Each structure stands twice: as structure tokens, then as C-alpha cells.
Amino acid sequence: MEIKTQRAEFGWPGGDRPGALVFRHDPAPEIRDAILDCVLPAVAETPSSVNELHALTPPDGAIGRYRLAVGGREWFVRVSARTGHAALEQAITGWLRDHGVAVNHLEVAGLALNFGGDALRADIRELLDARHFDDTDADLRSLAVEIARCHSALRDFPHTDEVEANAAARFTQLGKVRDQIADAVALENWAFLCQNTNWAHDHAQWFRDMVRNYEPRLDLRPGAQVLHAQIHRANVLYRADARAVLLDFEEAVQTFAPVAWDMAYFVQRFCLADAAEKLPAHLALVRAAYSAPVPGL
């Protein structure tokens, strides 16, 4: 079940090659009824007896991404098993929208949806008439400009203390996992590290290097701030005017780190998929469009 949930949650493996934005899958009647019962009161005062609801990818249970048409409007509905920090995520997108950053704001966040014995979360956003990245320099430049606007606005986010506390707790836990891995390597407890014990044994030096070099407390580094934290191709859309729109700030609620986090994620997902000879030119383009130094970029 976990594997199926992951597939429906993310839509595309790793977000690197998002598919066409075509909502063509009909959910089962019981799923449709459960979702409509949950979200219609939030978006329509007098819900029509006929409401269109189609999934982007085949849903697993109720989990998935949907297009809802009701009352002459279209909405993007996401149902997730990851309850997260809905109010804080909504506050982030609202702050960015109010400060001129192009985001797909969470109009309604954290609706409780119970289906099949699972406690799920439903969010509602405006359905954008937009497209994904088209591998052009213009799109790359537009995204770098929007990330710069996002970072500038988030430096003054009024709930920064809450994000920083979430990040500290998360990074501290990752530090404990690193220490557990280090202990397992020292004891040659390969079964703790990997189901394939032969592979773990053969890559022991890789584990040693990883635990020696991995320092998760990014929240303590100079210049740490609230970020987007997950800038991959499925989390960016482009409007008709070619302006980049940032989506899905669910990781922003628990990430407090230098802006290099976002920029490294951006370069990895948007630049490294191309031929290696293009990378220097793309890095130069990103630096110029971001218009501020990014250490290590």
C-alpha cells in the first residue's frame, strides 16, 4: 500500500519529467462522493447537482490530484496522506502572493477527509491554465527571477520562528539517524543499513564518507531562512505570459537553511538533465537572473 500511495502522491517519479496536465481519470463513485462531500462546502454556496471531478493520474484510494468543476469555476484538489502543517503552509503561500510572488495559493488547506479508514488531508487551489517547463533559456531565467522574489519575501515571513522550530526538530532527528548509520558501519551491522547486505558490505566506505561529511543542522548555518525547499519540475508551472509559478510549499514548513538549498535543488532538477556542455552557460544564466551571489553555486 505504501508504494501505491507514493505513486499517487507524487504523480511523476521524482518530479523530473512531469506529464501533460490532462485530468482524464474518473474516480470510483465512492471516492467521488467522499471528495465532493468534503470540498464542495468550501467552494460553492449552492453546489450544483452535477459536478465534474477527474483525476490527473489513477488515484490509489482517494489519494490523488483532481480537477473539480463547479459553479462555473475550476479548482485543483489534492488529497494526501501527509497531513503536515496545513495552516502554516497556507500562511506561506498567502504571504508570498501578497508580496507579488507568483504562487498557486492554498485557498483552502487541511480539510479532513476520511476514506477507507485513513485520515487524509484535502487542499483546494485555483486550477491554473499553465504548462510545465519547456527546456528553454527563457523559462530557466523566469524561474530564477521568481525564486529570487520568493527568497526576498520569505526573509520577512512573520511565522519564521515556527518554521525554524520545525526544521530544528527535523534536522536533529536526521542527525540521530546519521549516528545510527555510523554505529552500524563500525559494528559491521550490514543488515541495519540495507536489505542487500552484500551491497552494504561492498559500499562500506561510501557509508563512512557519508556519515563523516553529512551535517544536517542547516538551520544553524549563516544566512539560513525559510525556503521553498523542493524546486523540481512538477512544482513549477508557466502561465500564458511565461511567468513561472511556484507550487507545493509543503516542505517549506520544515526547512530553514541557506538559499543554496533551493538553488542546488533548482540546478540539479532543471540544468543537470541536459548535456554537460550546457551547464556553464545555464549556471551563468541562473546567476545573472537571480541577481544576488549564491555561495557555492
Side-chain angles (χ1 to χ4, degrees), residues 24-42:
R24 66 180 69 179
H25 301 278
D26 292 321
E30 62 272 19
I31 295 174
R32 180 181 185 275
D33 292 344
I35 294 175
L36 292 181
D37 288 345
C38 175
V39 304
L40 282 181

PDB file of all heavy atoms in Angstrom, residues 24-42:
ATOM      1  N   ARG A  24      -7.965  13.115 -16.772  1.00  0.00           N
ATOM      2  CA  ARG A  24      -8.789  12.254 -17.624  1.00  0.00           C
ATOM      3  C   ARG A  24      -9.327  11.017 -16.906  1.00  0.00           C
ATOM      4  O   ARG A  24     -10.078  10.237 -17.505  1.00  0.00           O
ATOM      5  CB  ARG A  24      -7.986  11.817 -18.841  1.00  0.00           C
ATOM      6  CG  ARG A  24      -6.818  10.911 -18.519  1.00  0.00           C
ATOM      7  CD  ARG A  24      -6.044  10.511 -19.771  1.00  0.00           C
ATOM      8  NE  ARG A  24      -5.340  11.651 -20.347  1.00  0.00           N
ATOM      9  CZ  ARG A  24      -4.573  11.583 -21.436  1.00  0.00           C
ATOM     10  NH1 ARG A  24      -4.433  10.437 -22.063  1.00  0.00           N
ATOM     11  NH2 ARG A  24      -3.955  12.647 -21.878  1.00  0.00           N
ATOM     12  N   HIS A  25      -8.930  10.801 -15.660  1.00  0.00           N
ATOM     13  CA  HIS A  25      -9.298   9.561 -14.976  1.00  0.00           C
ATOM     14  C   HIS A  25     -10.517   9.786 -14.079  1.00  0.00           C
ATOM     15  O   HIS A  25     -10.548  10.719 -13.274  1.00  0.00           O
ATOM     16  CB  HIS A  25      -8.128   9.046 -14.143  1.00  0.00           C
ATOM     17  CG  HIS A  25      -6.908   8.767 -14.964  1.00  0.00           C
ATOM     18  ND1 HIS A  25      -6.744   7.594 -15.670  1.00  0.00           N
ATOM     19  CD2 HIS A  25      -5.800   9.527 -15.212  1.00  0.00           C
ATOM     20  CE1 HIS A  25      -5.583   7.629 -16.305  1.00  0.00           C
ATOM     21  NE2 HIS A  25      -4.996   8.784 -16.041  1.00  0.00           N
ATOM     22  N   ASP A  26     -11.512   8.920 -14.232  1.00  0.00           N
ATOM     23  CA  ASP A  26     -12.716   9.005 -13.412  1.00  0.00           C
ATOM     24  C   ASP A  26     -12.517   8.219 -12.123  1.00  0.00           C
ATOM     25  O   ASP A  26     -12.260   7.011 -12.157  1.00  0.00           O
ATOM     26  CB  ASP A  26     -13.916   8.430 -14.172  1.00  0.00           C
ATOM     27  CG  ASP A  26     -14.324   9.280 -15.354  1.00  0.00           C
ATOM     28  OD1 ASP A  26     -14.280  10.520 -15.225  1.00  0.00           O
ATOM     29  OD2 ASP A  26     -14.689   8.707 -16.399  1.00  0.00           O
ATOM     30  N   PRO A  27     -12.641   8.886 -10.963  1.00  0.00           N
ATOM     31  CA  PRO A  27     -12.538   8.140  -9.709  1.00  0.00           C
ATOM     32  C   PRO A  27     -13.764   7.257  -9.503  1.00  0.00           C
ATOM     33  O   PRO A  27     -14.835   7.512 -10.080  1.00  0.00           O
ATOM     34  CB  PRO A  27     -12.474   9.249  -8.651  1.00  0.00           C
ATOM     35  CG  PRO A  27     -13.159  10.417  -9.285  1.00  0.00           C
ATOM     36  CD  PRO A  27     -12.855  10.325 -10.756  1.00  0.00           C
ATOM     37  N   ALA A  28     -13.602   6.226  -8.708  1.00  0.00           N
ATOM     38  CA  ALA A  28     -14.725   5.358  -8.380  1.00  0.00           C
ATOM     39  C   ALA A  28     -15.822   6.185  -7.701  1.00  0.00           C
ATOM     40  O   ALA A  28     -15.543   7.193  -7.045  1.00  0.00           O
ATOM     41  CB  ALA A  28     -14.271   4.229  -7.459  1.00  0.00           C
ATOM     42  N   PRO A  29     -17.084   5.784  -7.856  1.00  0.00           N
ATOM     43  CA  PRO A  29     -18.191   6.579  -7.296  1.00  0.00           C
ATOM     44  C   PRO A  29     -18.041   6.883  -5.812  1.00  0.00           C
ATOM     45  O   PRO A  29     -18.332   8.005  -5.372  1.00  0.00           O
ATOM     46  CB  PRO A  29     -19.410   5.700  -7.565  1.00  0.00           C
ATOM     47  CG  PRO A  29     -19.041   4.896  -8.776  1.00  0.00           C
ATOM     48  CD  PRO A  29     -17.575   4.630  -8.634  1.00  0.00           C
ATOM     49  N   GLU A  30     -17.558   5.915  -5.040  1.00  0.00           N
ATOM     50  CA  GLU A  30     -17.427   6.161  -3.600  1.00  0.00           C
ATOM     51  C   GLU A  30     -16.327   7.172  -3.299  1.00  0.00           C
ATOM     52  O   GLU A  30     -16.426   7.956  -2.342  1.00  0.00           O
ATOM     53  CB  GLU A  30     -17.177   4.849  -2.849  1.00  0.00           C
ATOM     54  CG  GLU A  30     -15.894   4.107  -3.215  1.00  0.00           C
ATOM     55  CD  GLU A  30     -16.060   3.151  -4.385  1.00  0.00           C
ATOM     56  OE1 GLU A  30     -17.043   3.304  -5.148  1.00  0.00           O
ATOM     57  OE2 GLU A  30     -15.205   2.251  -4.521  1.00  0.00           O
ATOM     58  N   ILE A  31     -15.274   7.183  -4.130  1.00  0.00           N
ATOM     59  CA  ILE A  31     -14.220   8.181  -3.956  1.00  0.00           C
ATOM     60  C   ILE A  31     -14.748   9.558  -4.342  1.00  0.00           C
ATOM     61  O   ILE A  31     -14.535  10.545  -3.635  1.00  0.00           O
ATOM     62  CB  ILE A  31     -12.999   7.820  -4.820  1.00  0.00           C
ATOM     63  CG1 ILE A  31     -12.381   6.502  -4.342  1.00  0.00           C
ATOM     64  CG2 ILE A  31     -11.969   8.939  -4.797  1.00  0.00           C
ATOM     65  CD1 ILE A  31     -11.251   5.998  -5.227  1.00  0.00           C
ATOM     66  N   ARG A  32     -15.434   9.626  -5.473  1.00  0.00           N
ATOM     67  CA  ARG A  32     -16.007  10.896  -5.927  1.00  0.00           C
ATOM     68  C   ARG A  32     -16.928  11.488  -4.863  1.00  0.00           C
ATOM     69  O   ARG A  32     -16.829  12.676  -4.528  1.00  0.00           O
ATOM     70  CB  ARG A  32     -16.777  10.669  -7.222  1.00  0.00           C
ATOM     71  CG  ARG A  32     -17.427  11.915  -7.797  1.00  0.00           C
ATOM     72  CD  ARG A  32     -18.203  11.567  -9.074  1.00  0.00           C
ATOM     73  NE  ARG A  32     -18.742  12.766  -9.695  1.00  0.00           N
ATOM     74  CZ  ARG A  32     -19.892  13.336  -9.357  1.00  0.00           C
ATOM     75  NH1 ARG A  32     -20.621  12.839  -8.361  1.00  0.00           N
ATOM     76  NH2 ARG A  32     -20.301  14.433  -9.983  1.00  0.00           N
ATOM     77  N   ASP A  33     -17.805  10.667  -4.317  1.00  0.00           N
ATOM     78  CA  ASP A  33     -18.760  11.165  -3.317  1.00  0.00           C
ATOM     79  C   ASP A  33     -18.039  11.662  -2.074  1.00  0.00           C
ATOM     80  O   ASP A  33     -18.401  12.706  -1.509  1.00  0.00           O
ATOM     81  CB  ASP A  33     -19.752  10.061  -2.947  1.00  0.00           C
ATOM     82  CG  ASP A  33     -20.699   9.701  -4.093  1.00  0.00           C
ATOM     83  OD1 ASP A  33     -20.789  10.506  -5.054  1.00  0.00           O
ATOM     84  OD2 ASP A  33     -21.322   8.627  -4.031  1.00  0.00           O
ATOM     85  N   ALA A  34     -17.010  10.925  -1.631  1.00  0.00           N
ATOM     86  CA  ALA A  34     -16.291  11.325  -0.416  1.00  0.00           C
ATOM     87  C   ALA A  34     -15.584  12.664  -0.615  1.00  0.00           C
ATOM     88  O   ALA A  34     -15.608  13.533   0.265  1.00  0.00           O
ATOM     89  CB  ALA A  34     -15.289  10.243  -0.018  1.00  0.00           C
ATOM     90  N   ILE A  35     -14.951  12.841  -1.778  1.00  0.00           N
ATOM     91  CA  ILE A  35     -14.232  14.092  -2.039  1.00  0.00           C
ATOM     92  C   ILE A  35     -15.201  15.260  -2.173  1.00  0.00           C
ATOM     93  O   ILE A  35     -14.989  16.340  -1.606  1.00  0.00           O
ATOM     94  CB  ILE A  35     -13.351  13.949  -3.294  1.00  0.00           C
ATOM     95  CG1 ILE A  35     -12.235  12.937  -3.030  1.00  0.00           C
ATOM     96  CG2 ILE A  35     -12.773  15.298  -3.700  1.00  0.00           C
ATOM     97  CD1 ILE A  35     -11.376  12.632  -4.243  1.00  0.00           C
ATOM     98  N   LEU A  36     -16.284  15.052  -2.922  1.00  0.00           N
ATOM     99  CA  LEU A  36     -17.250  16.135  -3.092  1.00  0.00           C
ATOM    100  C   LEU A  36     -17.887  16.528  -1.762  1.00  0.00           C
ATOM    101  O   LEU A  36     -18.074  17.714  -1.485  1.00  0.00           O
ATOM    102  CB  LEU A  36     -18.316  15.733  -4.102  1.00  0.00           C
ATOM    103  CG  LEU A  36     -17.857  15.578  -5.552  1.00  0.00           C
ATOM    104  CD1 LEU A  36     -19.035  15.199  -6.450  1.00  0.00           C
ATOM    105  CD2 LEU A  36     -17.190  16.840  -6.061  1.00  0.00           C
ATOM    106  N   ASP A  37     -18.207  15.556  -0.937  1.00  0.00           N
ATOM    107  CA  ASP A  37     -18.781  15.863   0.378  1.00  0.00           C
ATOM    108  C   ASP A  37     -17.823  16.699   1.216  1.00  0.00           C
ATOM    109  O   ASP A  37     -18.240  17.553   1.998  1.00  0.00           O
ATOM    110  CB  ASP A  37     -19.125  14.572   1.126  1.00  0.00           C
ATOM    111  CG  ASP A  37     -20.336  13.855   0.543  1.00  0.00           C
ATOM    112  OD1 ASP A  37     -21.083  14.492  -0.245  1.00  0.00           O
ATOM    113  OD2 ASP A  37     -20.537  12.674   0.869  1.00  0.00           O
ATOM    114  N   CYS A  38     -16.521  16.464   1.015  1.00  0.00           N
ATOM    115  CA  CYS A  38     -15.508  17.167   1.798  1.00  0.00           C
ATOM    116  C   CYS A  38     -15.278  18.584   1.285  1.00  0.00           C
ATOM    117  O   CYS A  38     -15.233  19.532   2.074  1.00  0.00           O
ATOM    118  CB  CYS A  38     -14.199  16.375   1.768  1.00  0.00           C
ATOM    119  SG  CYS A  38     -12.807  17.194   2.573  1.00  0.00           S
ATOM    120  N   VAL A  39     -15.137  18.746  -0.039  1.00  0.00           N
ATOM    121  CA  VAL A  39     -14.650  20.026  -0.558  1.00  0.00           C
ATOM    122  C   VAL A  39     -15.737  20.975  -1.033  1.00  0.00           C
ATOM    123  O   VAL A  39     -15.530  22.198  -1.033  1.00  0.00           O
ATOM    124  CB  VAL A  39     -13.628  19.796  -1.697  1.00  0.00           C
ATOM    125  CG1 VAL A  39     -12.479  18.918  -1.227  1.00  0.00           C
ATOM    126  CG2 VAL A  39     -14.282  19.194  -2.935  1.00  0.00           C
ATOM    127  N   LEU A  40     -16.889  20.467  -1.468  1.00  0.00           N
ATOM    128  CA  LEU A  40     -17.900  21.362  -2.026  1.00  0.00           C
ATOM    129  C   LEU A  40     -18.360  22.447  -1.054  1.00  0.00           C
ATOM    130  O   LEU A  40     -18.534  23.608  -1.464  1.00  0.00           O
ATOM    131  CB  LEU A  40     -19.100  20.563  -2.536  1.00  0.00           C
ATOM    132  CG  LEU A  40     -18.917  19.869  -3.886  1.00  0.00           C
ATOM    133  CD1 LEU A  40     -20.191  19.133  -4.290  1.00  0.00           C
ATOM    134  CD2 LEU A  40     -18.538  20.863  -4.974  1.00  0.00           C
ATOM    135  N   PRO A  41     -18.574  22.148   0.223  1.00  0.00           N
ATOM    136  CA  PRO A  41     -18.997  23.227   1.119  1.00  0.00           C
ATOM    137  C   PRO A  41     -17.994  24.379   1.210  1.00  0.00           C
ATOM    138  O   PRO A  41     -18.369  25.498   1.558  1.00  0.00           O
ATOM    139  CB  PRO A  41     -19.130  22.511   2.476  1.00  0.00           C
ATOM    140  CG  PRO A  41     -19.407  21.093   2.125  1.00  0.00           C
ATOM    141  CD  PRO A  41     -18.578  20.839   0.901  1.00  0.00           C
ATOM    142  N   ALA A  42     -16.741  24.122   0.865  1.00  0.00           N
ATOM    143  CA  ALA A  42     -15.706  25.155   0.960  1.00  0.00           C
ATOM    144  C   ALA A  42     -15.622  26.035  -0.279  1.00  0.00           C
ATOM    145  O   ALA A  42     -15.051  27.128  -0.216  1.00  0.00           O
ATOM    146  CB  ALA A  42     -14.343  24.509   1.221  1.00  0.00           C
TER     147      ALA A  42
END
